[in-house]
Every structure is written in C-alpha cells, then in structure tokens.
Amino acid sequence: MASRLQVCAGGLLIGGGAPVSVQSMTTTPTKDAAATRAQIRELATAGAALVRVSVPDEESARALPEIIENTPVPLAADIHFQADLALLSLDAGIHKLRLNPGNIRRRKDVRRIAERAAELNVPIRVGVNSGSIPGDVREKYGSGVDGLWAAAERHLGLLGETGFTRIVVSIKASDPMLTVSANLKAASLCDHPLHLGVTEAGPPSTAGVRSAVAMALLLSRGVGDTIRVSSSGSPLVEPPLGLEILSSLGLLRRARVVSCPTCARARLDVAALAEEVSLALRTCETPITVAVMGCEVNGPGEAREADIALIGTPTGILLWLRGKAAGEVAPEQALQTLMREIARFSAPGGNCERERS
Amino acid sequence: MASRLQVCAGGLLIGGGAPVSVQSMTTTPTKDAAATRAQIRELATAGAALVRVSVPDEESARALPEIIENTPVPLAADIHFQADLALLSLDAGIHKLRLNPGNIRRRKDVRRIAERAAELNVPIRVGVNSGSIPGDVREKYGSGVDGLWAAAERHLGLLGETGFTRIVVSIKASDPMLTVSANLKAASLCDHPLHLGVTEAGPPSTAGVRSAVAMALLLSRGVGDTIRVSSSGSPLVEPPLGLEILSSLGLLRRARVVSCPTCARARLDVAALAEEVSLALRTCETPITVAVMGCEVNGPGEAREADIALIGTPTGILLWLRGKAAGEVAPEQALQTLMREIARFSAPGGNCERERS
C-alpha cells in the first residue's frame, strides 16, 4: 500500500497519517446563508470536522462569503459542470473543492481553477460515484471496479496536466463491497488521500450499517483518510454514525455507552435510559464508559469495566462507580443519578480529570 | 482456519457452509406466552431465522410448550444457573439451548442436560460475554482475548467431558475490536460453528454500526455462522439490521433501496419516499433495486442500474424502469407510482418473475 500524501483544508489535515476525520454535507439551500450557517453549526456540534455545501448556481456561490465567515469548521464547495462557480467559491474563501475536471467542458477552465486553488492552498476532491460514470467509460469498462477507477483516472489525468497536486480521491458505490474493491484498487494505484463513503446508502438505519461494513473493511487495512456516512434525511445523524464507526474500529477515543439488549430478565428501563445517556454524552469528549444493564447476569461484569454503571437487580437498582458498588438508587432517581455522576466525571477539573491524571 | 462443524436447530442449519442466519431475542416476559408468541411472529416477519427466549424461572419454562407450538421459526431457550430449567425446556420441545456449563453447579446436572439434548438432537450454544467472565479466570487471564477464550474453554471442557458435540460457540464483547480478536482466536482453536454478536451495543444507531464493524471484519474472513445484532429497546429493529449487514457483505440477495443523501440540489422528498419504500420492501424477497434520487446529477446513473427509480429533475419527476426512462410522474403521485411498480415486480408471476426468468 502506497503511503498517502497529505493535504490541508482550512487547517484540517487529510492523509499522511493525520487522524481520520468525519465529514458531512448540508441539505439547506446554500443561497439561504442563514439556514446554511445554522446547519453547519449543528453539524459541527454533532462531530463533523468538515462540512460540504452544494453550489449549484451563482446565487449559492454569492452566499458563500457570509457562510464561510466565522464557520466553526472548514467548508468544501460541491461544484458540477460550471467552472465559474468553482472560481467564485475560491474567491469567497472556500477551504476545499469537490469537483470533477471531466465535467468541466474546457481544459483551460480546469487549468484556471487548478491554478487559483494552488495559489490559495485549497485541495480539490475528485469524486467518482457509481451513478455518474461517464457513458463512454461505462461502455468500455462497465460500472464495476474497472469503470469506477477509469473514471477517476480520467479526472486525475486532467488535473495532473495542470501540475496540481493537492488532491483527495473518492470512489463511492451504492454497493458496499464494490466500494471496498474500488478503494483497494485506488489505494494500490495512487498515493492521494482517500475520502471514503457508500453513496445513496438510504435512511440512517441502512446508511450506518452499509457505511460501517465498507469502512471497517477499508480502514482496518489502513485505507481511508476521511469519511462521510451519507444518509437520506437530516444530515445531523451523519457525524455521530461516522464517529461511531471510527470509535468501533478503535481509531477514536470517546465516551461510550454500553447497554444490554434487554430481555425478559430486565429490571430497569434500559432503552430509555441508554438513549438519554447517549444524548447527554454526545458533547462529552472524555473517554468514559457508561453501562446501563437490565439485570444481574451480565450487569456486574460490564459495571466492573465501566466508569459509571446502573444495574437492575431483584432488590433494586445499583450504582457502580469506577468498577465498585456505590450504593442503591431509587428507580425514579435512576436517570438523575446517572446524569449527576456523568457531570462529575466530565466537568473540567472534575472527578474525571483528577482521577485519571 | 478450521472448517466448521454443522448443527441443526429445529431445521435451521448452522455452520458447515450453511448460509449465515440472523437471530434475535424476545423482550416479553416469557411466562406471558401470548405476548411472547406475538413477538416471535413479529421477529420472524422482520427476518429472524431463530428467536431466543429467556427462561429465568419455572413459570417461564412452563409457558414454553404453548410458545413452541406452531412457532414460525426455531426457538432457543436462554438458561442461567438452573439445570432444571434446561431440562424443562428440552422436554417442552425447545430447538436450541443457550447455556454455560460452568454456571451449572453440579457436573452430573451438566451430564443430564447434555444427554437429554443429544437424544433430542438439540444443539447447545456456549456463550461467553465480556461482562460474565468468571472471577478466577478474569484474575488469571484478564478480561481481554485471553480471558474470554479461557472462559469459553472452561465451558467447552465441561461439555466435552459428557461427549456432547452439537455445540455452537459465541464470544461477545462490548468492544467491537475485542469481539473480532476473540472470535478470530476461537475460529483458529475450535471447529464449532460460531455465533457472532457485539454485546451491550446500545440503541439501534450504535448497535447497528458496532455490530456491522465487528461482523464485517469476521464474516469477510469466513468467520461466523449465525449472527445477532443486540439492540436496546424493541428487538424488532434487530433482524433488519442483521439482514442489512449480510446484504452489505454480499452474503444475502434481497431487495435494496438506494437513495441519495439529499442536498441543496434535491427536487424530491427523498427521505420520506425512501423510508416508505424501505418499509414496503421489508417483506419482499425479490432482489430488486429501487432508487430514489433527488436530482439529475447522480440520478440517471443510479436509475440505470436499478429496477425501479424515481429521479427529481428541474422539469419534474421521472420514472425509470429496468434502466430506461418510462415517463413523468406528478409529485403527489410519486409514492403511489413507486408502490404500484414494486407490487408489479414483486407479485408472484408478476413482471419480476416474468422479466427475470
């Protein structure tokens, strides 16, 4: 596997050994700067390290300066077909472009974009989707691995002619295993950083699973430098799913809620508590483990490994702290108790820092 | 990798090259036979090929005959500590036991269970969870891979003494990567079929991702014969998540909805349509692909590969059938049109069979 080059998008390093970052994309009309700014802030809070906005027309491009001003995370502009929109985005101060040179009609326009992007140190992502392989490529190579890579090669060739090097490559298919094969091929044939994603992955339940399958098989082999889980509907679900994938692979340390599936043995409303706790921990960067366990079969075992745990038992609900029993809790106080202990662990200078330092 | 032995649970083959099956577990009190029967039927409809019920007391065991009668899928009884409950479950006609011999105090009780299970051709799953490693094992081997395997070995040793061979092994940790390492070790050291799961995986959003990560890394190497996604809350989400994992890995052919993440370009309410269509296709075993695409950028490409597609365009919504444009659809007719075409594809003897045969 070739080692990856590194690019920098508004301070965010991608590739070359930088931590794998999580991206998302707005669904607001970009020309509505206020709505787009608000969604970017929400996505950043949810864990996105870079947010992409679609720039389908001049009105959207004209809104970019206002959107970019004071943005909490770097922004990428998604451009199709129109060179002018890329140039306007660059002039507005965009941090990254997603643009396929093969879709820009005139080579001199590709050169203008590349030169301006190079001057501004703005990377360009060349992104091939299974849904947008050019017709002639599809006819010659099909719409599998070979077609996807041939499409990427065409765009990379056009950009390469200009001498531009700050390139990120993405090859996304709606079939997770095709996404895996295509990215393994890309990783073996080029040394640009790779942006991973499964395209058109459906609503959150299927998007999370399809993306996790493809990304696990790639990231576990060291392939992939930045990821996006694409989900239909609100994009706010995307960053948590991406973070969960990285955390599951051991690529990210963060707060984790473990909770049992609940069964006939459960003596505690595990699901409701687990959901509340997960929500509360979304903004917690302290890598604490909170266990919510319905009964005494697996409860003490998980509690022993957790920082904070609640376990249902025949005689009541037990609180465990740092692997040791710490008293009983009235059922109606369960959530409140968990929240109090989490706050104590997470507070700056609180228990967590003191105990762990 | 040793090749796996095969067991049979009420007609369901596990291991030895049988297709990977999807399991789930009821959350109803097992002693409430009517509620448990109803949930088993719902889980079977949602895609579970085997359903486990907890048998924590004699009242639950006494409800088993009524639960087992006319069950749509084989059933497993989850037993802890009490040998009598295992024997009652076997006498009731249960199809599989989940039982850890190390938790049954007297060896002669383990022998009685094993002999009765062998007579009835009922397999036993020995299941180790990171939360229930025996204290002495944990002290000697820790709670990582070595501790998990040592706990499994203890149970397997006790069962092996009886000459019983119809064994399935599961080693579940709440950490997905520990689950992976432990199952790779198990696969290299024993030839029993393996049941995969990430334990205490939280609510559906995290459960799906954590399970998908671990199962992708194992199943892609041929490790794993049956799976359960454990999710806090309603178990009805578990079988679809499990099926989605198998489908993503190319281990299962079934209907697939591809839908774009929607962005500022979307000209169609993709999320609402995709959710409705996903729901409608849950009971469809025909491996059709339905694409719901917001705009004309990736729309035609995905539509070309799909059996049925709707694409938003500046001039209206287009219907594509079998890769070809098939007319325009009024926005308020979008869902109705999709449903009609899906019904035509899925109907026995309908378009689908005729076109594909």
Side-chain angles (χ1 to χ4, degrees):
Chain A
M1 206 64 68
S3 80
R4 304 287 111 191
L5 297 172
Q6 189 171 69
V7 303
C8 180
L12 177 72
L13 296 175
I14 301 174
V20 178
S21 50
V22 170
Q23 306 194 15
S24 188
M25 185 172 184
T26 52
T27 53
T28 49
T30 305
K31 61 190 173 190
D32 183 345
T36 303
R37 281 171 66 103
Q39 200 176 55
I40 289 166
R41 279 194 301 274
E42 289 179 309
L43 288 168
T45 301
L50 184 147
V51 173
R52 180 160 48 119
V53 299
S54 174
V55 183
D57 49 33
E58 198 178 317
E59 216 182 335
S60 300
R62 297 279 172 218
L64 286 178
E66 188 182 339
I67 293 169
I68 294 167
E69 195 186 359
N70 292 325
T71 175
V73 289
L75 301 178
D78 196 79
I79 311 280
H80 290 270
F81 314 121
Q82 300 177 65
D84 286 352
L85 299 179
L87 293 167
L88 280 173
S89 301
L90 288 169
D91 288 340
I94 201 75
H95 308 104
K96 189 182 173 195
L97 289 178
R98 188 260 171 142
L99 175 143
N100 288 346
N103 299 344
I104 304 290
R105 192 169 310 171
R106 297 184 304 180
R107 295 218 177 170
K108 73 172 190 187
D109 283 342
V110 174
R111 180 170 298 276
R112 281 171 64 211
I113 296 167
E115 283 172 358
R116 189 82 181 110
E119 273 169 33
L120 296 167
N121 195 20
V122 167
I124 298 178
R125 168 157 70 95
V126 165
V128 174
N129 277 22
S130 52
S132 59
I133 301 176
D136 62 313
V137 172
R138 207 176 52 243
E139 269 169 38
K140 191 161 174 192
Y141 298 99
S143 48
V145 173
D146 293 343
L148 287 164
W149 177 247
E153 258 191 328
R154 172 178 297 181
H155 298 306
L156 289 171
L158 289 167
L159 210 47
E161 282 175 14
T162 70
F164 189 81
T165 57
R166 294 172 179 86
I167 299 172
V168 177
V169 175
S170 70
I171 305 186
K172 302 185 177 185
S174 50
D175 176 343
M177 295 310 282
L178 177 54
T179 304
V180 171
S181 319
N183 280 280
L184 289 178
K185 179 158 187 157
S188 71
L189 293 177
C190 78
D191 54 6
H192 300 298
L194 297 177
H195 165 122
L196 304 184
V198 173
T199 187
E200 335 301 1
S205 56
T206 65
V209 165
R210 290 181 200 171
S211 303
V213 164
M215 291 170 187
L217 295 177
L218 289 166
L219 291 170
S220 67
R221 301 191 207 189
V223 173
D225 302 285
T226 182
I227 66 172
R228 178 191 174 199
V229 175
S230 301
S231 174
S232 298
S234 166
L236 294 180
V237 302
E238 297 184 352
L241 288 170
L243 293 169
E244 191 64 46
I245 291 171
L246 296 183
S247 165
S248 294
L249 284 162
L251 296 173
L252 185 72
R253 290 187 69 218
R254 60 194 279 265
R256 172 179 289 187
V257 178
V258 301
S259 67
C260 70
T262 72
C263 64
R265 292 190 303 263
R267 308 175 197 282
L268 187 65
D269 188 353
V270 172
L273 274 173
E275 284 287 7
E276 292 277 1
V277 173
S278 297
L279 207 65
L281 288 180
R282 264 181 51 175
T283 52
C284 173
E285 292 181 7
T286 319
I288 56 172
T289 299
V290 178
V292 182
M293 302 294 293
C295 82
E296 65 282 9
V297 170
N298 292 317
E302 290 295 337
R304 205 175 285 117
E305 308 288 324
D307 296 291
I308 306 170
L310 283 190
I311 311 168
T313 77
T315 56
I317 297 172
L318 296 182
L319 173 71
W320 284 48
L321 294 173
R322 284 172 227 96
K324 293 201 172 64
E328 214 166 302
V329 178
E332 65 278 11
Q333 300 275 315
L335 180 60
Q336 201 177 323
T337 304
L338 266 190
M339 294 304 187
R340 187 189 66 222
E341 293 302 331
I342 289 168
R344 288 172 61 190
F345 265 78
S346 315
N351 270 5
C352 189
E353 273 71 11
R354 274 187 280 126
E355 298 288 334
R356 285 169 175 272
S357 60
Chain B
M1 208 60 69
S3 79
R4 302 288 112 193
L5 297 172
Q6 188 172 69
V7 302
C8 180
L12 178 72
L13 297 175
I14 301 173
V20 178
S21 50
V22 170
Q23 305 194 16
S24 189
M25 186 171 184
T26 53
T27 53
T28 50
T30 305
K31 61 189 174 192
D32 183 344
T36 303
R37 281 172 65 102
Q39 200 176 56
I40 290 166
R41 279 193 301 275
E42 289 180 309
L43 288 168
T45 301
L50 185 147
V51 173
R52 182 158 49 118
V53 299
S54 175
V55 183
D57 50 33
E58 199 179 315
E59 215 181 336
S60 301
R62 297 280 172 216
L64 286 179
E66 188 183 338
I67 293 169
I68 294 168
E69 194 187 356
N70 291 326
T71 174
V73 289
L75 301 178
D78 197 80
I79 311 281
H80 290 270
F81 313 122
Q82 299 178 67
D84 287 352
L85 299 179
L87 293 167
L88 280 172
S89 301
L90 288 168
D91 288 341
I94 200 76
H95 307 104
K96 190 181 174 195
L97 289 178
R98 188 261 171 140
L99 176 143
N100 288 346
N103 299 344
I104 305 290
R105 193 169 309 170
R106 297 185 303 180
R107 294 219 180 170
K108 72 170 187 188
D109 283 342
V110 174
R111 182 171 297 277
R112 280 170 64 212
I113 296 167
E115 282 171 359
R116 189 81 181 109
E119 274 169 32
L120 295 168
N121 195 19
V122 167
I124 297 178
R125 168 157 69 97
V126 164
V128 175
N129 277 23
S130 52
S132 59
I133 301 176
D136 63 313
V137 172
R138 206 176 50 243
E139 269 169 37
K140 192 161 173 194
Y141 298 99
S143 48
V145 173
D146 293 342
L148 287 164
W149 177 246
E153 258 191 328
R154 171 178 296 181
H155 298 305
L156 288 171
L158 289 167
L159 209 48
E161 282 175 12
T162 70
F164 188 82
T165 57
R166 294 174 179 84
I167 299 172
V168 177
V169 175
S170 71
I171 305 186
K172 302 185 178 186
S174 50
D175 177 343
M177 295 310 281
L178 177 54
T179 304
V180 170
S181 319
N183 280 280
L184 289 177
K185 180 159 186 157
S188 71
L189 293 176
C190 79
D191 53 8
H192 301 298
L194 297 176
H195 165 123
L196 304 183
V198 174
T199 187
E200 334 301 1
S205 56
T206 65
V209 166
R210 289 182 202 172
S211 303
V213 164
M215 291 171 188
L217 295 177
L218 289 165
L219 291 170
S220 66
R221 301 190 208 190
V223 172
D225 301 286
T226 183
I227 66 171
R228 177 191 175 201
V229 174
S230 302
S231 173
S232 298
S234 166
L236 294 180
V237 302
E238 297 184 353
L241 288 170
L243 292 170
E244 191 64 45
I245 291 171
L246 297 183
S247 165
S248 294
L249 284 162
L251 296 174
L252 185 71
R253 291 186 68 218
R254 60 194 278 266
R256 171 179 288 186
V257 179
V258 302
S259 65
C260 70
T262 71
C263 64
R265 291 191 304 263
R267 308 177 197 281
L268 187 65
D269 187 352
V270 172
L273 273 173
E275 284 288 6
E276 292 277 1
V277 173
S278 297
L279 208 64
L281 288 180
R282 262 180 54 174
T283 54
C284 173
E285 292 183 4
T286 319
I288 55 173
T289 299
V290 179
V292 182
M293 303 294 295
C295 82
E296 65 283 8
V297 171
N298 292 316
E302 290 295 336
R304 203 175 287 116
E305 307 288 324
D307 296 293
I308 306 170
L310 283 190
I311 311 168
T313 77
T315 56
I317 297 171
L318 294 183
L319 173 70
W320 284 48
L321 293 173
R322 284 172 227 98
K324 294 201 170 64
E328 214 165 304
V329 178
E332 65 278 11
Q333 300 276 315
L335 179 60
Q336 202 177 321
T337 304
L338 266 191
M339 294 304 187
R340 187 190 64 222
E341 294 301 332
I342 288 167
R344 288 171 61 187
F345 265 78
S346 314
N351 269 7
C352 189
E353 273 72 10
R354 274 189 280 126
E355 299 288 334
R356 284 169 176 274
S357 61

